[in-house]
Amino acid sequence: MRGVMMHAPGDVRVEERQDPKIVEPTDAVIRLSASCVCGSDLWPYRGVEEVTSAVPMGHEYVGVVEEAGGEVTTVRPGQFVVGSFWASDNTCENCRAGYQSACVHRTLMGTLGAQAERLRVPLADGTLVATPDTPPQDLVPSLLAASDVLGTGWFGAVAAQAGPGRTVVVVGDGAVGLCAVTAARQLGAERIIAMSRHEPRQRLAREFGATDIVTERGDEGVARIKDLTGGLGAHSTVEAVGTEQSMTQAVRATRPGGHVGFVGVAHGVALPMEELFFSLVHLHGGPAPVRQYLPHLIDLIWNRTIDPGKVFDLTLPLDQAAEGYRAMDERRAIKTLLSV
């Protein structure tokens, strides 16, 4: 089968890879309908994360079950499924508490490489969720978004306790940040402020439910948030980037007693603890337990209540994956969908 391999920073190739097979009786093999490039894939692409040898890429996926292991009971061959970027058994104590991304048996799907024609999914019963029927083609992008960026943005908004009567700030205008805007709207937030300097992303943030746009960054951005909130700051802030600047900006934009949900993959972030101590801000975040939200998100998408697939503003065949990486790295695309 064909699949994406990263050999070194900036060196992405589509190559022949071994077809996946059932290894454990709890596995399933799916034929992918679509995959995509994630913002987190750009960390190794840019050399921020070390790449010492060729590695398979991709952790977001939707497709049709081709084969299921003997112990798989919740999905069957022929069903269209959406899976989380963490494989989880969905039965351990951490899973039952709603933190499937901390499952004691978890597997990071990126190590198996979902930017490919086929994929082995461990712990299929706890990882995959079948759609009510084979989806129409126009729903596939939104269902793919649910595999990571929508679920991650949703977790960020939940961790920030977005809800009725609350002002929510979203730091980061990538796919996760934009999906956090959608989540905040669905959770009933009264006011949603998206921080963005890019007009196409601003338009999409507005379409997803943002009531205000702030173009300033850093301390200027914080000052603007304070101006919009009577000098207090936001009740809820979602940090969806993963840099020290974005995290500091999120904390400073939040009022005392407020909540920051941080879902950007952190790189080189050091927070001033004395400032954090006196901020009286709650922090909660980490790798999103997407599996917790998948049934609800699939329902919202299936009923066309939300359309997160609009974050995909570039669609390419799998063979052109390298261009998809380049376009996102150069900010010519918010998110690249790879059709298989």
Side-chain angles (χ1 to χ4, degrees):
M1 70 167 188
R2 295 172 303 151
V4 175
M5 300 288 289
M6 184 177 293
H7 288 258
D11 184 2
V12 170
R13 310 175 198 174
V14 177
E15 302 176 344
E16 285 296 319
R17 284 170 33 191
Q18 187 172 6
D19 284 319
K21 301 181 185 302
I22 299 293
V23 176
E24 301 290 341
T26 50
D27 291 347
V29 172
I30 65 173
R31 174 171 43 83
L32 291 161
S33 300
S35 184
C36 54
V37 181
C38 183
S40 64
D41 294 332
L42 298 182
W43 293 110
Y45 185 79
R46 292 168 174 163
V48 177
E49 292 179 1
E50 188 177 17
V51 182
T52 58
S53 61
V55 292
M57 296 299 295
H59 54 264
E60 300 159 280
Y61 55 99
V62 294
V64 177
V65 177
E66 283 197 329
E67 185 180 1
E71 295 181 13
V72 176
T73 62
T74 63
V75 296
R76 62 183 184 276
Q79 285 185 308
F80 190 95
V81 292
V82 183
S84 165
F85 68 95
W86 285 103
S88 60
D89 60 27
N90 209 30
T91 60
C92 78
E93 192 166 340
N94 288 340
C95 287
R96 293 197 307 271
Y99 289 91
Q100 291 89 340
S101 51
C103 175
V104 298
H105 298 119
R106 68 181 181 177
T107 297
L108 184 58
M109 293 303 298
T111 62
L112 300 174
Q115 293 167 9
E117 292 179 313
R118 289 177 175 81
L119 177 69
R120 179 176 74 88
V121 181
L123 304 170
D125 277 343
T127 304
L128 299 174
V129 179
T131 56
D133 201 344
T134 300
Q137 191 60 37
D138 68 314
L139 284 187
V140 170
S142 287
L143 292 167
L144 177 60
S147 181
D148 181 355
V149 290
L150 175 59
T152 295
W154 199 277
F155 175 55
V158 169
Q161 296 203 359
R166 297 176 74 87
T167 293
V168 179
V169 167
V170 177
V171 179
D173 63 358
V176 170
L178 292 166
C179 286
V181 171
T182 289
R185 182 181 184 184
Q186 290 299 309
L187 292 167
E190 181 175 300
R191 192 176 192 185
I192 304 169
I193 304 171
M195 305 192 82
S196 173
R197 290 181 168 182
H198 304 276
E199 190 173 331
R201 299 174 189 229
Q202 293 171 7
R203 288 197 300 269
L204 192 51
R206 292 272 193 193
E207 186 175 345
F208 280 1
T211 57
D212 302 86
I213 303 292
V214 167
T215 58
E216 296 87 350
R217 289 184 181 175
D219 289 342
E220 290 183 356
V222 171
R224 181 67 181 135
I225 296 298
K226 294 290 182 69
D227 286 343
L228 291 171
T229 56
L232 295 174
H235 300 97
S236 306
T237 303
V238 180
E239 189 283 322
V241 182
T243 66
E244 185 169 325
Q245 181 192 44
S246 62
M247 192 66 183
T248 301
Q249 182 174 309
V251 171
R252 291 175 178 172
T254 307
R255 68 180 62 194
H259 295 75
V260 174
F262 59 98
V263 290
V265 181
H267 287 79
V269 176
L271 296 178
M273 289 307 298
E274 184 175 356
E275 179 183 347
L276 186 60
F277 180 80
F278 285 103
S279 73
L280 293 171
V281 165
H282 301 76
L283 296 179
H284 181 43
V290 169
R291 178 60 181 83
Q292 177 189 166
Y293 308 115
L294 268 183
H296 180 51
L297 299 181
I298 290 172
D299 184 62
L300 289 173
I301 291 165
W302 198 263
N303 292 312
R304 301 184 183 271
T305 303
I306 59 174
D307 188 9
K310 289 181 178 179
V311 298
F312 295 106
D313 55 348
L314 178 62
T315 297
L316 296 171
L318 180 66
D319 286 340
Q320 295 181 29
E323 169 56 21
Y325 275 79
R326 281 193 296 270
M328 287 179 62
D329 180 45
E330 296 167 4
R331 294 185 72 84
R332 291 185 283 111
I334 299 172
K335 191 166 178 67
T336 302
L337 185 148
L338 299 174
S339 58
V340 182

